[in-house]
Amino acid sequence: MRSKFLVLLLAISLVGNAYFVLFGEQPSFEEGQVQEMQTRINSLETENENLKTEINQNNESLQSYASQLESYRSRVFELENGSQICPAGVEGFATLQGPAVFQKVELERSGPFIQQNVSEEGALLNISVEIQPGKGRVLVQTTPLMGTVFQDAANTAVFVAENKTGRQMSSSDIIFSITAPGEIPEVDGPSAGALMTLLTISAIDNNTKLNKSITLTGTIDDKGNIGQIGGVLEKAQAAKAGGKTLFLIPRENSQLIKYRYIERNLGGFTIVEQKPEIVDAKEYIEKEVGINVEYVDTIDDVLRYEK
């Protein structure tokens, strides 16, 4: 009898729950809250992609340093055994503007809450290299102060430039200067590696004059390959605003993801979603930004455009 009574109570409970699910009042969400949640989700997805890119770049830096270390050990062995005369110090200078992306944080009050909006903007940095007699040091001077990844890119740039020119920098100091406008906060990243390599080769190779209407972005590895970067659209906009006519980007950035906003009604309120679409970066940037774009794979490709 007791078991039948429990079964009856269970049946009544299930029927009651079903009634409230089907006919009960559903929780309501204001449209602003839904859009705020969607904005936060989109921001987290973007941050996740940036972190994935950063991890890949750090792994590439580790591999590059391992290769450089082995090469430098071989050179030290040659010098210690007198098989190679220490070369005379090289002198030179080169400068070029390069694009970078920085995060802009704005605070917006919504009732009792303060919402933080993070956006990315592009800007041109003044990047130069000076080579003078010294002890083989690679130095980076930045204004404002920037992260340590610029040092990694500088070391790899010098390594590649030595291989391309056949000149050793063991008796020279290479000093990179990176200056950003005062309103730009700290930026960091290896995306200036290809440009720094170009500058170093130019400074070594009889101070070859560079084409100031060209700028580029891309990482560099120890073999001279140019790799993927982030913020290519913002960098293209900065290059255009700075008067550049040709923007060289890594071929790995040939696909650009754009988002199309779609609104749909659900339960009496509107949900705004972003639908990703893949477009060709060169075609999109040339049409929407108005600057010529070419893909590059290696530092040799960059050098061909500079001649």
Side-chain angles (χ1 to χ4, degrees):
M1 182 70 178
R2 179 179 175 83
S3 61
K4 292 182 178 179
F5 180 71
L6 291 176
V7 170
L8 178 61
L9 286 178
L10 178 60
I12 293 173
S13 176
L14 291 174
V15 171
N17 289 335
Y19 175 83
F20 283 113
V21 169
L22 294 174
F23 304 105
E25 183 177 354
Q26 299 296 321
S28 60
F29 296 90
E30 294 184 2
E31 183 175 341
Q33 291 178 314
V34 175
Q35 292 180 345
E36 183 177 342
M37 291 172 62
Q38 185 64 46
T39 300
R40 181 58 178 163
I41 292 172
N42 295 336
S43 176
L44 290 173
E45 289 177 345
T46 301
E47 184 177 352
N48 185 52
E49 290 300 319
N50 291 337
L51 289 173
K52 287 181 181 178
T53 301
E54 184 177 345
I55 290 172
N56 292 333
Q57 291 171 344
N58 288 338
N59 289 335
E60 291 176 0
S61 294
L62 288 174
Q63 295 175 358
S64 177
Y65 272 122
S67 177
Q68 293 178 49
L69 181 60
E70 186 62 31
S71 176
Y72 284 132
R73 281 175 175 168
S74 300
R75 293 184 186 180
V76 170
F77 179 80
E78 292 175 352
L79 292 172
E80 288 178 343
N81 288 273
S83 59
Q84 183 173 342
I85 300 176
C86 187
V90 177
E91 294 185 64
F93 178 82
T95 183
L96 198 64
Q97 288 185 314
V101 171
F102 67 96
Q103 287 190 335
K104 184 177 180 180
V105 180
E106 294 181 338
L107 299 179
E108 180 180 334
R109 181 176 292 277
S110 177
F113 304 102
I114 296 179
Q115 181 178 344
Q116 179 176 283
N117 296 322
V118 180
S119 60
E120 291 189 338
E121 294 187 10
L124 285 181
L125 306 180
N126 297 314
I127 305 177
S128 63
V129 63
E130 179 183 358
I131 303 176
Q132 58 188 30
K135 301 179 180 179
R137 295 171 293 187
V138 178
L139 310 173
V140 178
Q141 174 180 301
T142 63
T143 307
L145 293 177
M146 301 179 192
T148 58
V149 181
F150 273 113
Q151 182 69 57
D152 297 344
N155 292 340
T156 304
V158 172
F159 180 80
V160 174
E162 286 181 312
N163 290 337
K164 290 297 177 185
T165 62
R167 302 289 297 274
Q168 292 189 23
M169 299 290 104
S170 56
S171 296
S172 298
D173 287 340
I174 301 94
I175 306 168
F176 290 95
S177 295
I178 303 170
T179 305
E183 66 271 15
I184 293 182
E186 176 181 340
V187 296
D188 196 12
S191 62
L195 190 148
M196 296 166 81
T197 305
L198 172 65
L199 290 176
T200 308
I201 292 173
S202 175
I204 294 173
D205 190 16
N206 298 318
N207 297 304
T208 304
K209 296 187 67 174
L210 297 173
N211 188 339
K212 303 298 183 181
S213 66
I214 297 176
T215 191
L216 64 145
T217 185
T219 64
I220 194 77
D221 67 15
D222 59 291
K223 296 180 176 61
N225 298 314
I226 296 177
Q228 186 175 11
I229 50 84
V232 66
L233 181 58
E234 291 80 6
K235 291 177 180 178
Q237 292 168 341
K240 171 65 177 179
K244 309 302 179 183
T245 59
L246 178 60
F247 185 36
L248 306 179
I249 67 175
R251 190 174 301 276
E252 292 181 0
N253 285 101
S254 61
Q255 290 187 334
L256 188 64
I257 299 178
K258 296 301 298 175
Y259 291 93
R260 181 163 56 91
Y261 289 93
I262 299 176
E263 294 186 2
R264 61 188 181 92
N265 293 321
L266 182 63
F269 55 88
T270 303
I271 294 180
V272 180
E273 295 180 329
Q274 286 184 328
K275 182 179 180 181
E277 295 180 342
I278 298 177
V279 298
D280 181 78
K282 172 179 167 63
E283 294 179 1
Y284 184 87
I285 292 173
E286 289 183 344
K287 178 181 178 181
E288 300 296 331
V289 181
I291 184 173
N292 293 324
V293 174
E294 295 293 344
Y295 298 131
V296 289
D297 296 295
T298 68
I299 193 64
D300 290 328
D301 296 336
V302 174
L303 292 173
R304 280 194 288 270
Y305 283 105
E306 280 291 340
K307 291 182 179 178

